[in-house]
Amino acid sequence: LVLDPKYELWDKIKYAAFLINLVSTKTAFTTVHQIFSQLENEIHTSNLSWKDDQIKDILIKKLVNVNSTNDGDETFGENYENLKDEVEEVKTEIQGCQRSHSN
């Protein structure tokens, strides 16, 4: 399956792929799914778009919040700066793909 970055759900799929990549033996899929669902709801209720730059900040806050409130069974790691960098890389990749396909 090859998707064009002009595809309506391109950015949503990129964020979903990023979150799925965080699933490990210490991080339950249900937690990642809940984060994605919350993000989806917030985008809808705030009239945002998956393309908006503030989505990555909302996502980081949700990830840090999950880690700070967990009971020790689930974790996204101790280095949250890396999370922010990883989200930024995903956003940069999205923007790069959009530019290359718009030419």
Side-chain angles (χ1 to χ4, degrees):
L1 175 66
V2 178
L3 295 176
D4 188 314
K6 293 177 186 176
Y7 180 60
E8 180 180 338
L9 298 176
W10 177 264
D11 295 291
K12 183 177 183 177
I13 292 168
K14 285 290 192 169
Y15 281 112
F18 170 75
L19 284 170
I20 288 171
N21 194 40
L22 294 178
V23 175
S24 69
T25 56
K26 293 183 179 181
T27 306
F29 176 80
T30 54
T31 300
V32 173
H33 183 264
Q34 288 172 345
I35 291 169
F36 189 77
S37 294
Q38 291 169 4
L39 187 60
E40 212 171 20
N41 288 337
E42 192 160 339
I43 288 169
H44 178 70
T45 59
S46 301
N47 290 325
L48 296 171
S49 165
W50 285 98
K51 297 179 187 310
D52 292 340
D53 287 334
Q54 67 194 84
I55 301 305
K56 67 180 178 208
D57 296 324
I58 295 169
L59 176 58
I60 291 168
K61 287 177 187 172
K62 291 190 179 305
L63 290 171
V64 171
N65 185 47
V66 165
N67 196 72
S68 65
T69 59
N70 75 44
D71 61 4
D73 293 334
E74 300 175 24
T75 182
F76 291 106
E78 297 174 1
N79 191 345
Y80 301 117
E81 292 304 315
N82 285 344
L83 273 179
K84 189 168 185 169
D85 291 343
E86 287 179 38
V87 173
E88 187 61 39
E89 286 176 24
V90 169
K91 189 67 177 177
T92 301
E93 182 182 335
I94 291 168
Q95 290 168 344
C97 289
Q98 287 171 336
R99 276 188 233 114
S100 67
H101 283 81
S102 65
N103 296 332

